[in-house]
Amino acid sequence: GQNIDQPTEMTATEGAIVQINCTYQTSGFNGLFWYQQHAGEAPTFLSYNVLDGLEEKGRFSSFLSRSKGYSYLLLKELQMKDSASYLCAVSPYSGSARQLTFGSGTQLTVLP
Amino acid sequence: ETGVTQSPTHLIKTRGQQVTLRCSSQSGHNTVSWYQQALGQGPQFIFQYYREEENGRGNFPPRFSGLQFPNYSSELNVNALELDDSALYLCASSPRVKGLNTEAFFGQGTRLTVV
């Protein structure tokens, strides 16, 4: 079966750092993705992890521990435009964003 | 803008009716996936098409069906609509090549309301 858990909501202040956690239990795992989705818009790709460790891309970093079935997305220097839903997703295909299983998303609100 | 276009953007249908949603994939992308996203939830994988054939299916009943055309565009058909089918339907296109491929570009979606 597939089970991906993330917090439903988080609130943080502009300029701060926030960490969004994701735990997964899936029958097939070959990569974990993070997407950002603003209300009424398409999900957009943020990061991809297939090996344990930290991947950094500007203000965004993502961490993966395969043995623990755990990932987090770290957002630094928060901006108002970062208010969005953040989706954790697992792919059964190595190096591919095909047939993704998504969590329910974490709604992040950034306050001034 | 991702280059993946979906039509229509909004649609209202009556329970029991049939609906067809359309997706034009990004140039060069030969794989199209469809997802259903209920309000406040993450997208759920419906099925994927590659070379005009279904190539993977999620936990959706047979009344959800699709097509892919030679130009890689795709349709999602839903028969005998139910109230619970009300959702945002997302199309995602990606290339299918060997090696690392993390690109999956989503369209803006079609908001379907069943009344």
Side-chain angles (χ1 to χ4, degrees), chain B residues 15-84:
Chain B
R15 188 171 49 183
Q17 285 188 314
Q18 180 266 344
V19 69
T20 297
L21 311 181
R22 295 178 175 82
C23 171
S24 293
S25 61
Q26 180 148 322
S27 177
H29 286 191
N30 54 17
T31 301
V32 174
S33 301
W34 286 92
Y35 292 83
Q36 179 195 65
Q37 186 175 24
L39 201 60
Q41 300 296 315
Q44 285 195 61
F45 174 69
I46 303 175
F47 45 53
Q48 175 181 282
Y49 276 82
Y50 172 65
R51 289 186 175 178
E52 302 177 52
E53 291 192 359
E54 188 179 291
N55 182 35
R57 189 177 182 94
N59 189 28
F60 280 81
R63 59 190 186 85
F64 285 79
S65 64
L67 285 171
Q68 186 180 32
F69 301 98
N71 66 355
Y72 305 136
S73 65
S74 177
E75 288 183 354
L76 164 65
N77 299 290
V78 187
N79 293 322
L81 283 167
E82 301 177 0
L83 297 179
D84 285 349

Side-chain angles (χ1 to χ4, degrees), chain A residues 7 14 16-18 36 39-40 47 61 82 90 100 106-107:
Chain A
E14 193 175 14
I17 299 172
V18 71
Q36 179 192 61
S47 69
S61 303
D82 297 329
V90 168
L100 298 173
T106 298
Q107 184 64 47

